Amino acid sequence: VTGHFGTLLTSPDAENWTKHELPLVSSPPAHLFAVASNGSRWIVHAIDEGMLISDDQGQTWTLDPAANLAGFSLDVLWNGSEFVSVGGIFNEDGSEEVEAIATSPDGIDWTYRSLYTGRILYGIGRNDLGYTAVGRDGRVMTSPDAITWTSESSRVTDREIHALTTFGATIVAVGGEGTILTGLDGAAWT
């Protein structure tokens, strides 16, 4: 579990939790929003500091300031061959947060797949049809492969969509003011 001010907790059973001391340098400590694992490596993006990495099931953490994920990761998943991160970055003049989607085989070396095309993204999910990312002002993006992304033209809602999950082929997204959306492909929602 991750949170504000460098909070990172682990548990072997979801009942007993251990708070970890992390090698963060900023004061106050960086916000931690997303955690993912490929089965042997755990990663957590420490905003403006680098990537926290654990190769021992979350028992000890090191900070890799060279991890080249600029901006901030608000959600990340492992797809079987690479990490996929969604979040945001300030646009070129620094006036607004805009979307950033990146992939990495190891959690350190990142390649941006979509950048500066729209609003910040908060969540990502994957089903058999591909990937769906959701965010600010009802922003929805889809991809068949996590490389090529499409902004869905039909506005689902103007409310923020904070998170999503998949169950089989179904995508469930939740957001502001009690918004709950369901769909299959990220383009059509009910």
Side-chain angles (χ1 to χ4, degrees):
V1 175
T2 61
H4 290 290
F5 305 113
T7 301
L8 192 143
L9 307 167
T10 59
S11 173
D13 56 14
E15 291 183 19
N16 301 297
W17 293 89
T18 301
K19 182 176 181 181
H20 295 272
E21 295 298 319
L22 301 173
L24 301 173
V25 295
S26 63
S27 181
H31 293 320
L32 311 175
F33 289 104
V35 60
S37 174
N38 64 6
S40 61
R41 170 170 283 179
W42 289 82
I43 64 166
V44 175
H45 187 221
I47 296 174
D48 295 329
E49 292 200 39
M51 194 64 66
L52 289 165
I53 297 171
S54 174
D55 292 322
D56 61 3
Q57 301 299 308
Q59 298 307 303
T60 58
W61 294 85
T62 58
L63 178 67
D64 186 340
N68 64 339
L69 186 60
F72 45 93
S73 176
L74 297 178
D75 199 8
V76 63
L77 62 77
W78 174 256
N79 68 11
S81 61
E82 63 187 350
F83 293 99
V84 184
S85 168
V86 299
I89 192 169
F90 285 98
N91 65 4
E92 292 173 351
D93 68 7
S95 64
E96 183 179 12
E97 299 169 337
V98 295
E99 128 279 332
I101 301 172
T103 60
S104 171
D106 59 7
I108 297 171
D109 296 313
W110 292 87
T111 301
Y112 282 100
R113 302 302 183 177
S114 184
L115 194 61
Y116 299 126
T117 64
R119 306 296 281 165
I120 184 175
L121 298 168
Y122 296 125
I124 185 170
R126 177 181 179 221
N127 67 8
D128 292 341
L129 297 175
Y131 300 84
T132 301
V134 295
R136 185 173 286 166
D137 299 331
R139 175 92 166 147
V140 176
M141 295 187 73
T142 60
S143 173
D145 56 11
I147 296 171
T148 304
W149 288 85
T150 301
S151 179
E152 294 305 328
S153 60
S154 61
R155 170 90 12 139
V156 176
T157 178
D158 61 356
R159 293 178 179 94
E160 294 192 7
I161 306 173
H162 297 287
L164 65 98
T165 191
T166 58
F167 181 75
T170 303
I171 304 166
V172 179
V174 296
E177 300 178 37
T179 300
I180 301 174
L181 305 168
T182 60
L184 299 175
D185 61 3
W189 297 88
T190 56

